Amino acid sequence: MSRKTKNILFIMFDQLRFDYLSCYGHPHLHTPNMDRLAEQGVRFTNVYCQSPACGPSRMSFYTGRYVDSHGASTNGFPLRVGEYTLGDHLRKLGMDAYLLGKTHMTPDQEGMARLGLNPDSIIGARVAECGFDIIARDDGLWPEEPDGCYDQSVSPYNSYLKHKGYDSDNPWLEHANAGVEDDGEMASGWFMKHADKPANIREEDSETAFLTTRCMAFIDQQNQPDSSPWLCHLSYIKPHWPYIVPAPYHNMYGQEHRLPVNRSESERANPHPLYQLFMDNMVGKAFRRDEVLEKVVPAYMGLIKQCDDQMGRLFRHLEKTGRMEDTLIAITADHGDYMGDHWLGEKDLFHAPSVKIPLIIYDPSPEADATRGQVCDELVEAIDITATFVEAAGGVLKDHLDHVLEGRSLLPYLHGQPMQWREYAISELDYSVSYANAYLKVPPRAARLFMVADKRWKYVNAASGGFRPLLFDLQNDPDELQDLGTSTEPEHVAAMAAMEQHLNEWSRRFSQRTTVSEQQIRDMPGKSQRRGIILGAFDEGEANPELTIKFFGKVKQRFVEAGS
Amino acid sequence: MSRKTKNILFIMFDQLRFDYLSCYGHPHLHTPNMDRLAEQGVRFTNVYCQSPACGPSRMSFYTGRYVDSHGASTNGFPLRVGEYTLGDHLRKLGMDAYLLGKTHMTPDQEGMARLGLNPDSIIGARVAECGFDIIARDDGLWPEEPDGCYDQSVSPYNSYLKHKGYDSDNPWLEHANAGVEDDGEMASGWFMKHADKPANIREEDSETAFLTTRCMAFIDQQNQPDSSPWLCHLSYIKPHWPYIVPAPYHNMYGQEHRLPVNRSESERANPHPLYQLFMDNMVGKAFRRDEVLEKVVPAYMGLIKQCDDQMGRLFRHLEKTGRMEDTLIAITADHGDYMGDHWLGEKDLFHAPSVKIPLIIYDPSPEADATRGQVCDELVEAIDITATFVEAAGGVLKDHLDHVLEGRSLLPYLHGQPMQWREYAISELDYSVSYANAYLKVPPRAARLFMVADKRWKYVNAASGGFRPLLFDLQNDPDELQDLGTSTEPEHVAAMAAMEQHLNEWSRRFSQRTTVSEQQIRDMPGKSQRRGIILGAFDEGEANPELTIKFFGKVKQRFVEAGS
């Protein structure tokens, strides 16, 4: 790492669509603060999350490994104890790793119990929190219902709100994520008809502002001459649903500011059976209705606008404290949001609004001056961001860490050096727990999709569940409205075969030999011989004379007669 | 598990070729004790180890998972801390798991340090010893040379020998694995010209007898009315090299008892480049020489004959103590030994003498009466043996443990029930540290071979290293003398394509989602809704009325004006 770059601010927004920032082309949603960071750094336009779902995507960010490698394949599936995390790698390099906000981590309680790891110990806490030291863990979902609380830990955000005078058992539910009807009844943010109401909370106390404030306080605390280098994962909960936003953001956008819905009647004619089921789940049905889009899209835009304003607040603080000069900053998201495109809501599938993520990286070091303001359209995966952080912290990836970290550092590109880009990007979905699979009843281990995309084609393999593939021609159909998965055109057949070949190659990658590096292996041959293992020698003449000191000498006692 | 079956005796011989027992057809090497167990149980004739090398093969036995899944892909590569072992599974089922002998386990010291695991604690010791509680760990290789001892732990066998009066710093080297020249000079077992000399040790003190004696003592100790059920992994070091055997076994066999060497000049004409390098390594060069085979093969047979005699001793003890009536016994090996076949020595590649292993399972339960004496030629993998033990201990594999354990229990077959056999068997080789790769310099992660075999074809994929495949027609060329990997015959091309398809299917198996079982996943859908997560509801009418208790009620305080 250049002497100038000391810290890393790893900012993630939850469910932020890549094209809902003005630097990514949104015509009405102006995000000048993030745009300015893009001008000072590099903006990547072709970035894929490893899975369009919070948990698995994040576990890939936090381990630097594909979902298939770390195994925490959908929300709520624990990350096994044995997986190394970003925090483990950074701490070895002398950098602390802190969390402020959401991770969607589920601890591997059984694995921890097997190894006697106490979650209250430092080691146990890190394992339980996927490698981070916790400033505040807040996954931003604090509802409760007949079976209890969705998140059973104590909400630091609710504690904060109560301290600030919000008089409720669950102010997250009743204030931050609810408006008020004219008659004084609560208007829950769970019901999308309320998305245009202002959340019943002061903007400065909303989740997004709360986390920014906490981050600024963290920066102040660390602003000592002898502070260790740190990575802070500032992980915002928004613009993830519930879709409701505090004033003045709740009515900042109108119908005239919405992007046209990207969908076609042809998509509903004979669709892929899995796509059909996602279109027909409760969310899909909702997001095909105009009344839903009319309420939700402006609220989603308002949430993002608030995020951008909070970025302005944060960046001013970084400038004021001098941290802008020694802090690498990355802004990204765990996945996108369909917002009605392709007749879908939420995420899960592999159309661009769901699987592509924004990525802006600002590197303060002089080496990065050459690329400031550049836009990069090479294929990037989320795990490359992890690799970038580890390299920025001084880690050597090639032959030393690349047996564990599966991504490629973007630092060479940022520093204007040649870079070996990937030929294809992979994303995965485990739909075993989806509503679709409540109908399909595909065995859990077979309920998997693999996306393989290059710049020309996007291919989705659904074979393990017994389904045909999907194919999109990103050049001739950039809106991904025509699934060519049943095409018999030679070009399409050849494209599917080529992508299938990529998938086979990827599936055979060596992902689990995580205890020995490439370099350690290169250094191994010959060692056993020098520790006395002699193979294939008929007599003394065939053994290395240096190594035969233990093979000769009079015996002290005969236990058997020679030749007996 | 049937009430009658209480314990498991898991006997492994190291480097025991499947066809060097009389029950497997050896015409001169009579092994009546193992043959008798086969008559009382079932003998499997088509069993593949997961890798023809000690370490990875054993880690597959001890985890029940493919090498590609557990990642400890060649000798000396540590098994990562996160992997569940046979011992973990059995202890959960109320069965202890003990080790007596060899495992070839290398502890994951870095992973243990990361989690603060002390190898002297019970948990740490189990992690370091791949899940076993240790009676005696002895990997049977105790040489030393300029760089120190090959095995740096304390040898329990050397301690025993010293106690028995063998006056040497390293009696393993100077007595158990060396003979004596006429002039009183030590004749090291490392030099194969000495293989016909008797080892300078009393037979009762040799490694094979030592482990048997320890096992008999263990059985006596456990023979209490309130003893817990146990698995004992009695893991012999022999007939692995050094090839030298105590009297009277050293001269029990002559040249007339050797199997004809299975090799053909045609194998040396234009061979696969990797095969060429293995033929030309020091061991390959040695085992093509008559003088080597003349010395080594009779010694190897003597070692096996001694093993069989020790089995007789052990089985008599089991009968005497009543353990024959409540102990499931399996006899197998980690891999075979070429013994000059195919111009090779040692193991590593996938010809039958190397990759096939013997397997005899005796189940004392009445359910197994139906199959006593049967011979099964279905495709079996080493990991099936692990699955069999777990099921015999009462574990439910399907939907409960099969997200971790990748093998299939053989118990249904043993009990005369229908069984879904595998269509193809997989075995793997990591040749990154081999002498071949000292020439080839294939990047370590690419130095891999995958064998896919069914009953008709054996296919070896070497593509990651840049090499063509190998193919053998097991029906028309049962001796595997003709590599069809370059054939353009339609039948061969089709066979290779079919095997490649199997390999692709296998490569995409879901091997790392080890924290959630199939059954747990099936039980999941709907849980988040009952904990307050409502997705896709426009208004109250679309939410489940049971679940809306928290969505209504007068707000206690307005923080913003409605519609502001």
Side-chain angles (χ1 to χ4, degrees):
Chain A
M1 176 143 77
S2 153
R3 271 156 299 155
K4 208 165 176 196
T5 310
K6 189 177 166 195
N7 310 306
I8 297 172
L9 189 52
F10 170 22
I11 302 170
M12 183 175 282
F13 292 102
D14 197 340
Q15 201 143 331
L16 173 61
R17 235 177 104 135
F18 78 103
D19 56 352
Y20 269 56
L21 300 173
S22 41
C23 58
Y24 280 90
H26 200 293
H28 306 297
L29 179 48
H30 295 294
T31 50
N33 296 295
M34 293 198 241
D35 294 3
R36 189 157 60 91
L37 196 77
E39 283 161 22
Q40 296 172 333
V42 170
R43 183 168 63 84
F44 295 86
T45 63
N46 220 348
V47 187
Y48 288 88
C49 67
Q50 300 319 140
S51 180
C54 297
S57 170
R58 287 161 178 273
M59 295 309 116
S60 285
F61 271 107
Y62 306 150
T63 61
R65 290 160 60 73
Y66 291 105
V67 175
D68 184 63
S69 301
H70 63 64
S73 55
T74 197
N75 290 343
F77 286 15
L79 181 71
R80 62 176 171 205
V81 167
E83 281 293 308
Y84 275 73
T85 63
L86 179 57
D88 294 309
H89 296 294
L90 294 182
R91 272 188 287 271
K92 275 196 176 180
L93 298 163
M95 182 180 276
D96 295 326
Y98 295 101
L99 171 72
L100 194 44
K102 171 166 176 169
T103 61
H104 219 117
M105 169 72 180
T106 303
D108 175 10
Q109 290 176 327
E110 188 180 329
M112 290 180 68
R114 168 183 170 245
L115 298 177
L117 296 176
N118 182 342
D120 293 332
S121 67
I122 290 178
I123 288 173
R126 285 175 181 164
V127 168
E129 297 289 0
C130 57
F132 292 107
D133 288 326
I134 303 302
I135 308 169
R137 162 83 187 270
D138 194 315
D139 277 10
L141 287 172
W142 303 103
E144 56 181 290
E145 267 304 329
D147 287 357
C149 295
Y150 179 73
D151 188 331
Q152 294 173 61
S153 45
V154 174
S155 163
Y157 180 56
N158 265 344
S159 304
Y160 165 84
L161 291 181
K162 288 175 191 176
H163 176 73
K164 295 285 268 182
Y166 292 83
D167 179 20
S168 158
D169 285 346
N170 188 348
W172 176 88
L173 187 70
E174 297 182 20
H175 289 285
N177 288 283
V180 187
E181 303 272 19
D182 289 342
D183 61 1
E185 286 288 322
M186 171 180 151
S188 173
W190 287 122
F191 301 125
M192 294 188 284
K193 72 171 181 178
H194 297 312
D196 59 348
K197 293 187 174 63
N200 188 20
I201 195 164
R202 291 182 291 260
E203 190 273 333
E204 74 221 46
D205 294 330
S206 66
E207 291 163 284
T208 304
F210 163 74
L211 287 172
T212 309
T213 304
R214 291 293 303 263
C215 186
M216 289 160 62
F218 166 79
I219 287 163
D220 291 342
Q221 282 166 6
Q222 299 290 320
N223 197 11
Q224 309 296 331
D226 61 345
S227 292
S228 297
W230 47 259
L231 174 142
C232 179
H233 181 35
L234 173 58
S235 187
Y236 287 100
I237 289 152
K238 295 296 175 183
H240 191 281
W241 44 258
Y243 302 110
I244 190 162
V245 59
Y249 299 100
H250 71 293
N251 62 3
M252 209 171 262
Y253 300 98
Q255 302 311 314
E256 68 279 20
H257 302 122
R258 284 171 46 200
L259 295 179
V261 186
N262 178 31
R263 64 190 183 195
S264 150
E265 283 300 328
S266 66
E267 290 180 290
R268 300 186 60 76
N270 194 26
H272 188 284
L274 259 170
Y275 176 37
Q276 171 87 62
L277 283 164
F278 276 92
M279 283 193 284
D280 289 348
N281 72 14
M282 194 156 171
V283 176
K285 280 181 184 156
F287 276 85
R288 76 177 69 146
R289 287 152 64 182
D290 288 343
E291 60 188 347
V292 168
L293 295 173
E294 284 163 11
K295 296 270 189 178
V296 168
V297 177
Y300 181 69
M301 292 171 69
L303 287 165
I304 294 168
K305 181 67 180 173
Q306 187 196 11
C307 290
D308 189 67
D309 283 348
Q310 291 294 318
M311 286 296 96
R313 202 180 145 222
L314 179 65
F315 296 159
R316 284 190 295 278
H317 193 74
L318 289 168
E319 279 156 13
K320 201 182 75 185
T321 53
R323 290 291 73 74
M324 207 71 188
E325 288 165 31
D326 61 11
T327 302
L328 185 146
I329 304 174
I331 295 182
T332 190
D334 55 352
H335 53 74
D337 190 318
Y338 272 108
M339 282 289 140
D341 288 353
H342 308 289
W343 311 93
L344 293 167
E346 271 265 85
K347 52 264 181 180
D348 294 323
L349 296 181
F350 299 103
H351 299 92
S354 170
V355 75
K356 280 182 74 168
I357 51 177
L359 176 63
I360 297 165
I361 304 183
Y362 159 76
D363 176 350
S365 67
E367 293 92 327
D369 289 347
T371 59
R372 299 201 190 284
Q374 285 194 7
V375 176
C376 177
D377 70 348
E378 296 294 343
L379 286 171
V380 171
E381 293 179 351
I383 55 176
D384 298 345
I385 300 168
T386 319
T388 304
F389 293 157
V390 173
E391 191 171 73
V396 178
L397 297 170
K398 183 169 163 48
D399 290 346
H400 293 272
L401 287 168
D402 56 5
H403 63 300
V404 178
L405 291 167
E406 298 188 292
R408 301 175 189 202
S409 169
L410 302 169
L411 222 53
Y413 175 80
L414 293 170
H415 292 179
Q417 294 158 8
M419 159 111 197
Q420 204 196 348
W421 296 101
R422 46 180 83 256
E423 278 182 77
Y424 55 90
I426 297 283
S427 192
E428 304 171 62
L429 184 76
D430 175 342
Y431 60 90
S432 59
V433 194
S434 68
Y435 288 97
N437 207 35
Y439 292 93
L440 293 170
K441 301 199 188 304
V442 171
R445 70 167 57 82
R448 303 180 78 189
L449 301 178
F450 300 95
M451 181 211 79
V452 189
D454 60 16
K455 290 184 179 178
R456 174 68 195 276
W457 303 104
K458 182 182 286 178
Y459 172 77
V460 179
N461 173 299
S464 60
F467 302 107
R468 68 163 177 89
L470 295 92
L471 181 73
F472 297 98
D473 181 341
L474 301 179
Q475 188 172 299
N476 295 311
D477 175 28
D479 291 335
E480 305 178 280
L481 293 170
Q482 194 184 354
D483 170 13
L484 304 168
T486 55
S487 168
T488 54
E489 288 286 323
E491 187 185 24
H492 303 150
V493 172
M496 287 192 274
M499 300 310 258
E500 192 67 17
Q501 190 62 32
H502 286 323
L503 182 57
N504 286 333
E505 178 194 67
W506 175 84
S507 298
R508 288 186 203 163
R509 79 197 181 284
F510 210 172
S511 66
Q512 303 305 319
R513 192 252 292 145
T514 54
T515 57
V516 197
S517 73
E518 297 283 290
Q519 189 57 49
Q520 286 171 320
I521 294 173
R522 289 183 210 274
D523 293 342
M524 275 182 185
K527 276 197 177 163
S528 67
Q529 201 186 45
R530 291 190 56 87
R531 290 185 165 176
I533 301 288
I534 304 300
L535 280 180
F538 186 70
D539 57 27
E540 301 83 340
E542 291 170 359
N544 182 339
E546 279 179 44
L547 303 177
T548 52
I549 50 174
K550 287 282 171 188
F551 298 140
F552 304 105
K554 286 278 178 197
V555 303
K556 294 176 184 161
Q557 190 180 355
R558 278 190 193 261
F559 285 87
V560 293
E561 287 309 302
S564 73
Chain B
M1 176 144 78
S2 152
R3 270 156 302 156
K4 205 165 179 197
T5 311
K6 189 178 167 196
N7 311 306
I8 297 173
L9 189 52
F10 170 23
I11 301 170
M12 183 175 285
F13 292 102
D14 196 340
Q15 201 143 327
L16 172 61
R17 238 177 101 135
F18 78 103
D19 56 352
Y20 270 55
L21 300 174
S22 43
C23 57
Y24 280 90
H26 199 294
H28 306 298
L29 179 47
H30 295 294
T31 51
N33 296 296
M34 294 197 240
D35 294 3
R36 187 158 61 91
L37 196 76
E39 283 160 23
Q40 295 171 335
V42 170
R43 183 168 62 84
F44 295 87
T45 63
N46 220 348
V47 187
Y48 288 88
C49 66
Q50 300 318 142
S51 180
C54 297
S57 170
R58 286 162 180 272
M59 295 310 114
S60 284
F61 271 107
Y62 305 150
T63 61
R65 290 159 60 72
Y66 291 106
V67 175
D68 184 62
S69 301
H70 63 63
S73 54
T74 196
N75 290 343
F77 286 14
L79 181 72
R80 62 177 170 204
V81 167
E83 281 292 307
Y84 275 72
T85 63
L86 179 57
D88 294 309
H89 295 294
L90 294 182
R91 273 187 287 271
K92 274 196 177 181
L93 298 163
M95 182 180 276
D96 295 327
Y98 295 101
L99 170 72
L100 194 43
K102 170 166 176 169
T103 61
H104 220 116
M105 168 71 180
T106 303
D108 175 9
Q109 290 175 328
E110 188 182 328
M112 290 180 70
R114 169 185 170 243
L115 298 177
L117 296 176
N118 182 342
D120 294 331
S121 66
I122 290 177
I123 288 173
R126 285 174 180 164
V127 168
E129 297 288 1
C130 58
F132 292 108
D133 289 327
I134 303 302
I135 306 169
R137 161 84 186 270
D138 196 315
D139 277 10
L141 286 172
W142 303 103
E144 56 181 292
E145 266 305 327
D147 287 358
C149 295
Y150 179 75
D151 190 329
Q152 294 173 61
S153 46
V154 173
S155 162
Y157 180 56
N158 264 344
S159 304
Y160 165 85
L161 291 182
K162 288 175 191 178
H163 175 75
K164 295 285 268 184
Y166 292 83
D167 179 19
S168 159
D169 285 346
N170 187 348
W172 176 88
L173 188 69
E174 298 182 19
H175 288 284
N177 288 282
V180 186
E181 303 273 18
D182 289 344
D183 61 3
E185 285 290 320
M186 170 181 152
S188 173
W190 286 122
F191 301 125
M192 294 188 284
K193 73 171 181 179
H194 297 313
D196 59 348
K197 294 186 173 62
N200 187 19
I201 194 164
R202 290 182 290 259
E203 191 272 334
E204 75 222 43
D205 293 331
S206 66
E207 292 163 283
T208 303
F210 163 73
L211 287 172
T212 308
T213 305
R214 291 295 301 263
C215 186
M216 289 161 62
F218 166 80
I219 286 162
D220 290 342
Q221 280 166 7
Q222 299 290 321
N223 197 11
Q224 309 297 329
D226 61 346
S227 293
S228 297
W230 48 260
L231 173 140
C232 179
H233 180 36
L234 173 58
S235 187
Y236 287 100
I237 289 152
K238 296 295 176 185
H240 191 281
W241 44 258
Y243 302 110
I244 190 162
V245 59
Y249 299 100
H250 70 294
N251 63 2
M252 209 171 262
Y253 300 98
Q255 302 311 315
E256 69 279 20
H257 302 121
R258 284 171 47 200
L259 295 180
V261 187
N262 178 32
R263 64 189 182 195
S264 149
E265 283 300 329
S266 66
E267 289 181 291
R268 300 186 60 77
N270 194 25
H272 188 283
L274 259 170
Y275 176 36
Q276 171 87 62
L277 283 165
F278 276 92
M279 281 194 285
D280 288 348
N281 72 15
M282 194 157 171
V283 175
K285 279 180 183 158
F287 276 85
R288 77 176 70 147
R289 287 153 64 182
D290 288 343
E291 60 189 347
V292 168
L293 296 174
E294 284 164 11
K295 294 271 188 176
V296 169
V297 176
Y300 182 69
M301 292 172 69
L303 286 166
I304 295 168
K305 181 67 180 173
Q306 186 194 12
C307 290
D308 189 69
D309 283 348
Q310 291 295 317
M311 287 295 96
R313 202 181 145 219
L314 179 64
F315 296 159
R316 284 189 296 278
H317 192 73
L318 289 167
E319 277 156 13
K320 199 182 75 185
T321 52
R323 291 291 71 74
M324 208 70 189
E325 288 165 31
D326 61 10
T327 303
L328 185 145
I329 304 173
I331 294 181
T332 189
D334 54 353
H335 53 74
D337 191 316
Y338 273 107
M339 283 288 141
D341 288 353
H342 308 288
W343 310 93
L344 293 167
E346 271 265 86
K347 50 262 180 181
D348 294 322
L349 295 181
F350 299 103
H351 300 91
S354 170
V355 75
K356 281 182 74 167
I357 51 177
L359 176 63
I360 298 165
I361 304 182
Y362 159 75
D363 177 349
S365 67
E367 294 91 326
D369 289 347
T371 59
R372 300 200 190 282
Q374 285 193 7
V375 177
C376 176
D377 70 348
E378 297 293 345
L379 285 171
V380 171
E381 293 180 352
I383 56 176
D384 298 346
I385 301 167
T386 319
T388 303
F389 293 156
V390 173
E391 191 170 77
V396 179
L397 297 170
K398 185 172 162 47
D399 290 346
H400 293 272
L401 288 168
D402 55 5
H403 63 301
V404 179
L405 291 167
E406 299 188 292
R408 302 174 188 204
S409 168
L410 302 169
L411 222 54
Y413 175 80
L414 294 169
H415 292 181
Q417 294 158 9
M419 161 110 195
Q420 202 196 347
W421 296 100
R422 46 181 82 255
E423 278 181 78
Y424 54 91
I426 297 283
S427 193
E428 303 171 65
L429 184 76
D430 175 342
Y431 60 91
S432 60
V433 194
S434 68
Y435 288 97
N437 207 34
Y439 293 93
L440 293 170
K441 299 199 187 306
V442 171
R445 69 167 59 80
R448 303 179 78 188
L449 301 178
F450 299 95
M451 181 211 79
V452 189
D454 61 16
K455 291 184 179 177
R456 173 67 195 275
W457 304 102
K458 181 182 287 179
Y459 172 77
V460 179
N461 174 299
S464 62
F467 302 107
R468 69 163 177 87
L470 296 92
L471 181 73
F472 296 97
D473 181 340
L474 302 178
Q475 187 172 301
N476 295 310
D477 173 29
D479 291 335
E480 305 178 284
L481 293 171
Q482 194 184 355
D483 171 13
L484 304 168
T486 56
S487 169
T488 54
E489 289 286 323
E491 188 186 24
H492 303 150
V493 172
M496 287 192 274
M499 300 311 257
E500 193 66 17
Q501 190 62 34
H502 287 324
L503 183 56
N504 286 332
E505 177 194 69
W506 176 82
S507 297
R508 288 187 204 162
R509 78 197 182 283
F510 210 173
S511 65
Q512 304 305 319
R513 193 253 290 144
T514 54
T515 57
V516 197
S517 73
E518 297 283 292
Q519 189 58 47
Q520 285 170 320
I521 294 174
R522 289 183 209 274
D523 292 342
M524 276 182 185
K527 277 197 176 164
S528 66
Q529 201 186 46
R530 293 188 55 85
R531 290 184 166 176
I533 301 288
I534 303 300
L535 280 179
F538 186 70
D539 58 26
E540 301 82 341
E542 292 169 2
N544 183 339
E546 279 180 45
L547 303 178
T548 53
I549 49 174
K550 286 280 172 189
F551 299 140
F552 305 104
K554 286 278 179 197
V555 303
K556 294 178 185 161
Q557 188 180 357
R558 278 190 192 261
F559 286 87
V560 294
E561 287 308 304
S564 70

